[in-house]
Amino acid sequence: MKTEFFHEPDAKAIARAGEILRSGGLVAIPTETVYGLAANAYDAEAVKNIFIAKGRPGDNPLIVHIADLSELKPLVRSVPESAKQLAAAFWPGPLTMILPKSDRVPYEVTAGLETVAVRFPSHPVANAIIRAAGLPLAAPSANLSGKPSPTNALHVYEDMNGRIDAIVDGGDCHFGVESTVITLAGEKPRLLRPGAVTLEMLRAVIGEVEMDSAVIEPLAEGEVAASPGMKYKHYSPKAEVYVLSGSPEAFIRYINSHCDEKTAALCYDEEANKINCATIPIGKEFDFSYQAHLLFNSLRRCDELGMKRVYAHIPRRDGVSLAIYNRLMRAAGFKVIYV
Ligand code: AMP
Ligand code: MG
């Protein structure tokens, strides 16, 4: 398949993207989190093709993207008060809500579940394409399954050229980690995936929010994932990633005594000149939002540099760092070295 590549998200690109989506095709679109691989959410065949293009396991459901609050209602059985409050606080933006699905949503989107994940993105190009299509769009991240999520159009091209109908370049993604996922379909609201809308921000709006154990821990043998996406090794470069737990001084000492030409450090900017192997700076020590913005790009850099082994700082577990912790621990397969 020849993939159309639009270098500018201009009116022509947006109209063409809408046309492809209406006729059942797949288009990679920029959002404020990561690039999404979109299809008509009401077209089961189009949705199946997303799974094929990504090599995504069939039991991992997709997020449905809307461009107006009024588009939520047809997708779900009812809209609880908590969803209204969260939508008022964080939509449009990087928050996905899970609610019981309506009959209109095909099981291909929800991977057989009775719930559907919905997000109203804030990215103007994503919104324009949803409107041009005139449809809700099912869209997972636009990477090959297992690889780090794409935060620019080149990443999408590397993974998806020849596999999808079109790619619309909208520049670098602002947040760089996927949306926060909260389920409102259970007894209590529960965080399934951390993102730029933090647990603290959610609690400030709706009070108690539980954190699913899969946010910070690997699933136990035989445990059923509340969010199917959490059970897969994810976001990984080819290199083995190790998370180092200890002080910044101990981090540098450990790396400098374990250096070779195939080893790299994901380090803070201010550490780069103290480390004797390849360095991939991830931003300043306390600039957590920027670290999130760079995370997937940094993981892809490991492979571009041909690294075999990569050491990273253990992230904090508060604010947006919880999202970095969640992604990095999965990239590392939960391998932690205490230094
Ligand atoms: P991605 O589109 O790559 O960001 O992945 C979507 C994430 O949302 C995955 O981790 C899914 O498991 C999760 N997700 C989507 N729909 C549901 C649902 N109905 N229930 C639980 N998790 C969901
Ligand atoms: Mg993904």
Side-chain angles (χ1 to χ4, degrees):
M1 172 186 305
K2 176 144 174 46
T3 301
E4 293 178 50
F5 193 100
F6 295 96
H7 293 274
E8 291 295 331
D10 54 16
K12 192 171 143 253
I14 286 163
R16 177 76 185 123
E19 189 177 88
I20 293 170
L21 289 162
R22 273 195 310 280
S23 62
L26 304 186
V27 182
I29 66 172
T31 85
E32 72 277 22
T33 56
V34 301
Y35 274 73
L37 180 56
N40 174 1
Y42 291 141
D43 181 339
E45 285 308 311
V47 169
K48 277 190 207 159
N49 288 332
I50 291 181
F51 285 84
I52 294 169
K54 278 180 62 84
R56 185 175 175 98
D59 63 350
N60 193 6
L62 310 180
I63 296 171
V64 178
H65 292 71
I66 58 177
D68 193 275
L69 196 51
S70 64
E71 292 163 24
L72 173 62
K73 237 173 154 190
L75 299 168
V76 300
R77 277 219 289 279
S78 63
V79 181
E81 199 51 40
S82 54
K84 288 180 191 155
Q85 290 169 333
L86 290 174
F90 303 118
W91 277 5
L95 176 68
T96 296
M97 294 194 244
I98 294 175
L99 291 164
K101 80 173 198 69
S102 73
D103 293 339
R104 284 198 74 182
V105 179
Y107 285 111
E108 283 74 7
V109 170
T110 70
L113 298 176
E114 291 301 333
T115 51
V116 62
V118 186
R119 184 164 99 83
F120 176 177
S122 63
H123 197 292
V125 176
N127 288 334
I129 292 174
I130 298 168
R131 284 201 208 98
L135 294 161
L137 300 180
S141 49
N143 52 298
L144 286 174
S145 196
K147 292 244 283 174
S149 296
T151 58
N152 63 42
L154 187 61
H155 296 163
V156 179
Y157 180 86
E158 284 164 6
D159 282 14
M160 291 295 161
N161 185 38
R163 305 175 74 89
I164 62 176
D165 296 287
I167 299 171
V168 178
D169 190 343
D172 283 356
C173 298
H174 176 72
F175 292 112
V177 286
E178 305 89 340
S179 59
T180 303
V181 178
I182 187 172
T183 177
L184 304 172
E187 239 162 65
K188 288 187 185 148
R190 176 186 287 250
L191 178 74
L192 299 183
R193 181 173 74 184
V197 173
T198 65
L199 189 55
E200 295 86 345
M201 288 158 74
L202 295 167
R203 287 176 174 157
V205 174
I206 55 167
E208 201 185 344
V209 178
E210 294 177 341
M211 180 169 75
D212 198 82
S213 61
V215 168
I216 51 173
E217 287 164 18
L219 281 180
E221 193 68 35
E223 190 180 349
V224 176
S227 181
M230 286 293 147
K231 74 182 173 194
Y232 301 105
K233 183 170 177 191
H234 243 143
Y235 317 121
S236 316
K238 291 196 192 88
E240 286 293 324
V241 179
Y242 296 88
V243 172
L244 304 190
S245 176
S247 67
E249 296 72 35
F251 176 85
I252 293 171
R253 221 180 306 122
Y254 183 90
I255 290 172
N256 282 344
S257 59
H258 290 80
C259 273
D260 62 29
E261 69 281 5
K262 294 286 179 195
T263 301
L266 295 186
C267 65
Y268 304 133
D269 293 355
E270 49 273 40
E271 294 174 326
N273 61 3
K274 300 180 200 146
I275 291 174
N276 300 334
C277 57
T279 56
I280 302 173
I282 56 163
K284 296 205 177 72
E285 182 174 359
F286 297 103
D287 193 348
F288 307 116
S289 298
Y290 192 65
Q291 290 171 21
H293 171 81
L294 277 191
L295 177 68
F296 289 134
N297 201 33
S298 307
L299 292 175
R300 281 183 184 251
R301 279 291 290 157
C302 301
D303 286 343
E304 286 161 21
L305 296 173
M307 292 295 146
K308 289 231 157 63
R309 198 174 313 101
V310 177
Y311 295 117
H313 284 283
I314 194 159
R316 292 159 54 133
R317 294 199 212 166
D318 59 354
V320 70
S321 292
L322 182 63
I324 304 175
Y325 184 94
N326 170 274
R327 308 309 191 276
L328 194 59
M329 283 302 222
R330 280 183 166 68
F334 289 89
K335 293 190 295 296
V336 178
I337 300 174
Y338 294 87
V339 294

